Amino acid sequence: HEELRGDANIAMAAVRQNGLLLQLTSEELRDDCDVAFVAVKRNWRSLQFVSARPRGDARIMIAAVQQCGFALRYASKELQDDEAVVMRAVQRNGGALEYASERLRGTHRIVAIALAEDENALLYASEELRNDKDIVIPAVRRHGNSLVFASRELRNDKEVVLEAVKNDGFAIRHALAGCRNDKEIAVAALSQNGMAYCYVAGALWNDADVVLAAVRQNSSTFRYAFPRFKNSRSMVLSAVEHDGLILRYATKTLRDVRAVVLAAVSQNGMALQYASHELQDDEEVVARAVHRRGAALEFASVRVRLLKKIVLAAVTQDGCALQHASMLLQDDRDVVLAACRQNGRAFCYASPRRQNEKDVAVAAVRQDGTMLKDVPLTIRFDAEVVKTAVKQNGLALKHASAEQRGNMALVLVAMESYVHRRFSPNSQHEDFVRRMETVVDGSLVRCMRGWCELMHGKLHAMCMSFLEVHAQYVAFPAVRPNPRFPGLGWVFRESLEELNDGEVDWDALGVEAEWPQEPPPGTAPDRVRQE
């Protein structure tokens, strides 16, 4: 109703809740500085609905720009020329300098404050300040690409451009021809970002120092180098010492030079794939490569892959390099054991004869418990193999036999393995507990949860994690096996028997023979003791 929209009390109550409701009030109230102040203080965007008078009120504008500096756009011309208001605006958002008066955009102090908050505010500074080194240099030091807003004179100034490219190599594209032809500036830019190579003056592409600076920062830039550099032994040697894979861009002649290839594989063993066939058959070159990266064995010649010392060095560095060994060495006991000890997954590449050996299987699952799934059935359910696997990774229990998944001792080993694994306390912990319950024998899980329902009540038991259920079930101080809950107090009984050399006089302990089918009222503890 028109009368209500013009009621000052109603309007004041409304804008206190939501400043944007100012747009629904009458024109008289939108011209009221007190109402406007309350609305703007609540939400600076309500400033767009006020009339001209409140926009000229310093108190209202300061409240607005303290929330968002860009609110300065709604200020009157007088306040856009007010140093106190503009200073608060650019302190909040440097880009608000765009709405300051021409006089203040030429004020050193205001512009410096704006640039400290937003380097791109240089765009709105006066022509005089955009040509001022004291203003431009700090800006390009923080954000090199701000060079684009500097004056033409400073974009051709070596000192300014050098500071810009040290921060961002791509800033060289905003420099004028004189600076883009400067070797020192080019090297500085390429050392920061090798891909700025395309913005360097063409005359410098033929300079070895410039090319090397780009390659050291980003090896892929060597592909754009002139052919004479790709055929230069000294240049390629310097490049591969930084990144061995640069060998791929070298000429065929240099990929057959032993010194160059040795330097490349010493930095990255996988560079062996780009060496000549002759050097892929060189024992020293291959040995150096696999010592760095075992997987480089894939690129060695057939003859070298038959040498035990080479293959042994490769699998010691990366067990899965066993897949690239000859069939003869995949059947070699020493090689297979070394591979499985380094990486359990190497078990998959061993010969069938070695996969059926218990000590090989134990070595594999000790390094990666989940490899139990790939162990042949003849030894997969061996007690030592399974225990070693679940000790390394509790989830390996799902690959054990049904009988083993219901073995309380083995389940405890699986749970303990979790404690020693470094999961994050939240998501991974919950994920482990959720998956662990699916691994353990279902009847045992139902039995443990049934006991917890009896002890704590159904609602409380439903909220308990499997980890807590298991810990309470095996640690509850029950001294005799319970037919209804087999395994109840298993850890307690085992510890008790161990302390008494296996012989326990149960009756002398003065405890009931069995936990009752239903606990007497009031005897069930709120929290069962956990070991």
Side-chain angles (χ1 to χ4, degrees):
H1 193 276
E2 201 64 38
E3 286 186 13
L4 295 178
R5 291 170 63 185
D7 188 299
N9 293 328
I10 293 176
M12 193 71 82
V15 296
R16 277 199 183 101
Q17 293 296 317
N18 186 341
L20 294 178
L21 291 176
L22 183 65
Q23 63 184 305
L24 303 177
T25 62
S26 64
E27 289 185 14
E28 291 77 10
L29 290 179
R30 279 183 270 167
D31 193 52
D32 186 299
C33 289
D34 292 332
V35 175
F37 177 71
V38 172
V40 169
K41 197 170 181 181
R42 186 67 179 173
N43 190 328
W44 72 270
R45 290 182 176 85
S46 62
L47 197 59
Q48 61 189 302
F49 306 117
V50 303
S51 62
R53 192 163 69 94
R55 293 186 187 193
D57 189 304
R59 179 184 60 147
I60 293 174
M61 288 312 307
I62 287 174
V65 298
Q66 283 178 335
Q67 294 177 53
C68 177
F70 292 111
L72 186 63
R73 66 183 295 185
Y74 298 112
S76 64
K77 296 293 183 183
E78 292 75 19
L79 290 183
Q80 286 179 342
D81 192 49
D82 186 288
E83 191 168 335
V85 173
V86 172
M87 188 174 293
R88 283 183 171 85
V90 297
Q91 281 176 337
R92 185 69 177 175
N93 298 97
L97 185 65
E98 176 183 2
Y99 305 109
S101 66
E102 189 174 344
R103 180 182 72 85
L104 292 182
R105 280 189 276 152
T107 303
H108 193 287
R109 184 183 175 197
I110 296 289
V111 173
I113 291 172
L115 290 173
E117 200 285 322
D118 182 359
E119 299 81 8
N120 290 325
L122 184 61
L123 170 64
Y124 307 114
S126 65
E127 285 292 334
E128 183 184 350
L129 291 183
R130 285 162 66 182
N131 195 40
D132 188 325
K133 282 190 179 183
D134 292 337
I135 287 290
V136 174
I137 288 180
V140 297
R141 275 179 181 159
R142 288 191 297 272
H143 188 67
N145 265 317
S146 292
L147 182 65
V148 68
F149 306 126
S151 67
R152 186 176 181 82
E153 183 182 338
L154 291 187
R155 283 162 58 197
N156 202 35
D157 184 283
K158 182 173 180 177
E159 182 186 0
V160 174
V161 175
L162 201 54
E163 292 293 345
V165 298
K166 283 178 181 177
N167 174 270
D168 185 346
F170 273 125
I172 196 172
R173 62 183 167 173
H174 305 305
L176 298 187
C179 285
R180 289 169 70 178
N181 274 299
D182 188 284
K183 180 177 175 178
E184 185 182 352
I185 290 175
V187 169
L190 297 173
S191 297
Q192 200 283 325
N193 191 329
M195 295 307 291
Y197 193 70
C198 54
Y199 297 111
V200 172
L204 294 174
W205 291 0
N206 206 30
D207 189 289
D209 294 332
V210 172
V211 174
L212 204 54
V215 170
R216 283 176 176 164
Q217 201 286 321
N218 190 326
S219 59
S220 64
T221 57
F222 196 65
R223 73 177 75 179
Y224 307 117
F226 287 169
R228 79 178 188 87
F229 291 126
K230 295 178 181 178
N231 197 37
S232 167
R233 176 169 174 163
S234 59
M235 173 61 77
V236 173
L237 198 55
S238 298
V240 298
E241 284 174 354
H242 177 73
D243 183 354
L245 294 179
I246 288 177
L247 187 63
R248 79 179 84 174
Y249 303 121
T251 59
K252 189 175 181 180
T253 305
L254 289 179
R255 283 189 273 159
D256 194 35
V257 176
R258 197 165 186 272
V260 172
V261 174
L262 271 174
V265 299
S266 296
Q267 199 284 325
N268 189 326
M270 299 303 285
L272 183 63
Q273 62 189 298
Y274 304 116
S276 65
H277 293 304
E278 289 73 18
L279 292 178
Q280 287 176 343
D281 191 53
D282 186 293
E283 292 180 30
E284 184 185 353
V285 171
V286 175
R288 191 82 63 88
V290 299
H291 177 74
R292 190 73 177 173
R293 284 285 300 274
L297 184 64
E298 177 184 1
F299 307 109
S301 66
V302 175
R303 181 187 71 82
V304 174
R305 281 189 272 171
L306 285 166
L307 301 176
K308 183 174 178 177
K309 65 177 182 179
I310 296 290
V311 175
L312 202 54
V315 299
T316 301
Q317 201 281 327
D318 180 358
C320 286
L322 184 62
Q323 64 185 303
H324 306 303
S326 63
M327 292 180 67
L328 182 66
L329 291 177
Q330 287 176 343
D331 190 54
D332 186 281
R333 181 182 176 80
D334 296 334
V335 172
V336 171
L337 277 173
C340 290
R341 284 169 184 155
Q342 200 283 325
N343 190 328
R345 296 181 185 278
F347 183 81
C348 299
Y349 307 117
S351 67
R353 182 162 74 106
R354 295 304 174 197
Q355 286 182 343
N356 278 283
E357 291 184 2
K358 181 178 172 179
D359 55 347
V360 172
V362 168
V365 298
R366 180 175 286 119
Q367 204 282 325
D368 185 350
T370 61
M371 289 307 298
L372 183 63
K373 68 180 185 298
D374 296 305
V375 174
L377 292 173
T378 51
I379 56 173
R380 183 186 298 177
F381 305 131
D382 179 88
E384 184 185 353
V385 174
V386 174
K387 187 174 181 179
T388 304
V390 298
K391 193 172 183 179
Q392 197 280 327
N393 188 329
L395 293 176
L397 189 62
K398 66 181 176 182
H399 304 301
S401 66
E403 181 183 353
Q404 288 168 327
R405 292 200 302 272
N407 184 306
M408 190 61 71
L410 201 56
V411 172
L412 188 62
V413 170
M415 302 300 287
E416 287 175 348
S417 78
Y418 159 70
V419 176
H420 298 291
R421 290 172 69 87
R422 295 186 176 182
F423 287 99
S424 67
N426 299 318
S427 59
Q428 290 184 341
H429 170 90
E430 292 168 5
D431 181 57
F432 175 86
V433 172
R434 187 172 59 254
R435 288 189 292 160
M436 197 71 215
E437 188 166 357
T438 65
V439 167
V440 179
D441 181 65
S443 60
L444 180 59
V445 173
R446 288 191 295 274
C447 180
M448 290 191 291
R449 287 207 172 275
W451 175 78
C452 280
E453 287 182 13
L454 185 65
M455 291 295 294
H456 301 288
K458 191 169 185 179
L459 186 60
H460 189 176
M462 285 173 65
C463 299
M464 294 170 66
S465 73
F466 173 67
L467 203 63
E468 187 177 10
V469 168
H470 177 270
Q472 292 194 14
Y473 188 77
V474 300
F476 187 77
V479 295
R480 292 188 180 180
N482 188 302
R484 183 176 177 188
F485 301 113
L488 178 65
W490 172 76
V491 171
F492 177 83
R493 290 197 305 274
E494 186 180 70
S495 303
L496 197 62
E497 289 172 356
E498 187 178 339
L499 289 171
N500 292 275
D501 298 323
E503 296 181 4
V504 179
D505 186 353
W506 304 107
D507 296 326
L509 291 172
V511 215
E512 292 294 330
E514 293 179 359
W515 181 256
Q517 295 297 307
E518 296 292 339
T523 59
D526 291 331
R527 297 290 289 179
V528 178
R529 181 181 67 82
Q530 293 188 28
E531 187 176 73

